[in-house]
Amino acid sequence: MSPDTLSSEITSETIEALLNRRSIRKYADTPVTDDHVNAILGAALRAPTSSNVQAYSVVVVRDPAIKEEIAVPCGNQQHIVSCPVFLAFLADLTRIEAAFQRHGHTADNNNLEMGLVATIDAALVGMSAYVAAESLGIQGVMIGAVRNDPEKIAEILGLPNRVYAVFGMCLGFPDQAPKQKPRMPVSGIVHHDRYDADASLAVLDPYNAQLRAHYEAIGKETTADSWSDEVDAKLSAKARDGLRAALKARGFDFS
Ligand SMILES: Cc1cc2nc3c(=O)[nH]c(=O)nc-3n(C[C@H](O)[C@H](O)[C@H](O)COP(=O)(O)O)c2cc1C
């Protein structure tokens, strides 16, 4: 086995689909029907859920006017407007709160753990939906930009208190076949029995070079240390620094 890739004689349709996966931002006119969406979400809602709390909900958005509204706080990403179906994956504490109230308890001061449980639950449903969609030839891209302005997204989608959009997902039949973006060498990502800190950091230089070559091949402007420079530019200035306050206003304490 090369230290840069994991190879195996074993494969399956699901593994092949995951190995070929890439984000798709351009969609064919082929309709994504309600039957497609029902099949995708029916399967996705079988995702594991912490203590069976099912602290998630999904809004299926087809209305072009609503997709246009959603795109605005998401930095006007046009694939949100052009995709046939946009799914919003929500962390949802409302049913937990209702259960608490039956016992005279409140969900005020819900803590970091409860916020994480709901967020992780929603993410697992989202990824399951993504894989289910892929199995039908429907592909797309996740949209974390719904967290740019949680209150605006809540207003557009009519979300009550104790519900926030963790991420969205544009789905459609693909109208592009972009080159796959390389991932970091697995030698730094997968550890055996104990974490190897040197191996983890040793992948950075080779990956910076690999990602730079990828961007050059697709004609995208980049810099010498492609990944390191990109991550620093995007995240070192604390992206979405108002998020804790915005989510607190939505009824999530995260404290
Ligand atoms: C939680 C999450 C949020 C994302 N948000 C956006 C987004 O707002 N807009 C976008 O174009 N891509 C978004 N992406 C897609 C990533 O940019 C993409 O997965 C990454 O660059 C790797 O490329 P690939 O999916 O083609 O392999 C998001 C991905 C994830 C997992």
Side-chain angles (χ1 to χ4, degrees), residues 21-25 74 77 79-80 123 127 130 140-148 166-168 170 178-183 207 214-215 220 230 234 240:
R21 199 209 61 79
R22 72 214 59 197
S23 292
I24 294 295
R25 299 178 176 85
C74 294
Q77 297 190 50
H79 32 276
I80 298 174
M127 187 62 201
Y130 198 101
V141 61
M142 293 185 179
I143 302 293
V146 294
R147 297 191 309 276
N148 287 349
V166 180
F167 58 92
C170 304
K179 203 169 146 51
Q180 261 191 327
K181 198 182 273 188
R183 291 297 194 260
Y207 187 63
H214 167 76
Y215 283 148
K220 183 174 167 175
E230 200 174 19
K234 272 193 189 156
R240 299 182 187 130

Side-chain angles (χ1 to χ4, degrees), residues 85-228:
V85 182
F86 181 85
L87 303 177
F89 292 92
L90 315 173
D92 185 340
L93 300 180
T94 57
R95 292 177 295 265
I96 291 177
E97 182 168 45
F100 285 3
Q101 284 166 347
R102 291 183 184 200
H103 296 272
H105 298 141
T106 111
D108 296 343
N109 303 319
N110 58 81
N111 62 7
L112 174 64
E113 171 63 8
M114 199 182 288
L116 284 180
V117 160
T119 303
I120 293 167
D121 263 22
L124 294 174
V125 169
M127 187 62 201
S128 297
Y130 198 101
V131 175
E134 176 91 34
S135 75
L136 302 175
I138 295 167
Q139 298 177 25
V141 61
M142 293 185 179
I143 302 293
V146 294
R147 297 191 309 276
N148 287 349
D149 188 345
E151 206 50 57
K152 186 70 195 166
I153 294 292
E155 182 193 315
I156 296 167
L157 296 177
L159 309 184
N161 190 41
R162 303 216 199 282
V163 182
Y164 88 93
V166 180
F167 58 92
M169 190 183 296
C170 304
L171 286 179
F173 286 91
D175 191 28
Q176 63 175 167
K179 203 169 146 51
Q180 261 191 327
K181 198 182 273 188
R183 291 297 194 260
M184 291 184 184
V186 293
S187 55
I189 307 293
V190 179
H191 305 262
H192 295 278
D193 295 326
R194 284 176 61 80
Y195 185 89
D196 182 340
D198 291 338
S200 169
L201 296 179
V203 300
L204 284 184
D205 285 341
Y207 187 63
N208 278 329
Q210 203 188 351
L211 190 64
R212 186 179 67 233
H214 167 76
Y215 283 148
E216 283 168 358
I218 63 169
K220 183 174 167 175
E221 206 177 306
T222 187
T223 54
D225 285 338
S226 192
W227 182 87
S228 302

